Amino acid sequence: MKVCRRITFNSAHRLFNSHWSDEKNLEVFGKCSNPNFHGHNYVLETWIDGPIDQETGYVIDLKKLKDILNDEISERFDHRNLNLDCPEFAELKPSAENIAVVIWNILRSKLETKFSLSVKLWETENNVVEYNGI
Ligand code: NI
């Protein structure tokens, strides 16, 4: 059985490879390499896969998942500049792919091992990435 909690957060980022010229950064990353950063309204779906607990009828108490997402993801990334404010991205480019991996690793450490975890991160209405640890 799979259950999901959805959250949204707003963050700024810049995709930039310091080993490349400004021209090459612009060519590869387009507007995402804008030196003054830009924002996204990220949508995060956290999917938990596990057995239904016979005592509660839940896979996981979604209130507990809500609290984990608030404490570990919203508090960390909402209204932040990912490049400048978040040590997770000091060396790592804050692409949707890498943000999803960082989020997955944070959440994995907070969830019981009996659960499988998958995160889906929408960077725009039309662009989404999914990561399940592989
Ligand atoms: Ni962007």
Side-chain angles (χ1 to χ4, degrees), residues 13 32 38 40:
H13 76 165
C32 277
H38 62 277
H40 289 283

Side-chain angles (χ1 to χ4, degrees), residues 3 14-15 34 39 43-44 62 65 73 78 81-82 84 131:
V3 299
R14 179 191 187 196
L15 297 180
N34 177 354
V43 177
L44 175 70
L62 286 175
L65 182 58
I73 306 303
D78 190 30
N81 180 312
L82 297 175
L84 300 182
Y131 185 64

Side-chain angles (χ1 to χ4, degrees), residues 28-45:
V28 173
F29 295 122
K31 287 180 187 170
C32 277
S33 74
N34 177 354
N36 291 331
F37 305 95
H38 62 277
H40 289 283
N41 299 319
Y42 291 98
V43 177
L44 175 70
E45 284 185 7

Side-chain angles (χ1 to χ4, degrees), residues 41-92:
N41 299 319
Y42 291 98
V43 177
L44 175 70
E45 284 185 7
T46 300
W47 286 89
I48 306 285
D49 192 335
I52 300 175
D53 184 288
Q54 292 307 306
E55 291 187 326
T56 61
Y58 295 156
V59 172
I60 185 172
D61 184 342
L62 286 175
K63 168 71 168 64
K64 284 186 188 158
L65 182 58
K66 174 187 173 183
D67 290 344
I68 291 170
L69 289 167
N70 184 60
D71 296 347
E72 302 295 333
I73 306 303
S74 300
E75 288 289 326
R76 201 183 298 248
F77 298 132
D78 190 30
H79 287 74
R80 298 286 161 83
N81 180 312
L82 297 175
N83 300 74
L84 300 182
D85 299 333
C86 301
E88 294 83 358
F89 300 103
E91 304 294 330
L92 188 65

Side-chain angles (χ1 to χ4, degrees), residues 2 4-9 42-48 69 73 96-97 99-101 103-104 107 117-124 127-132:
K2 291 173 83 172
C4 172
R5 169 99 191 159
R6 178 182 178 275
I7 64 167
T8 60
F9 59 95
Y42 291 98
V43 177
L44 175 70
E45 284 185 7
T46 300
W47 286 89
I48 306 285
L69 289 167
I73 306 303
E97 289 87 336
I99 298 168
V101 170
I103 288 174
W104 187 92
L107 295 177
L117 169 66
S118 179
V119 297
K120 277 191 190 178
L121 183 69
W122 270 262
E123 189 169 70
T124 70
N127 294 349
V128 60
V129 301
E130 179 172 13
Y131 185 64
N132 65 6

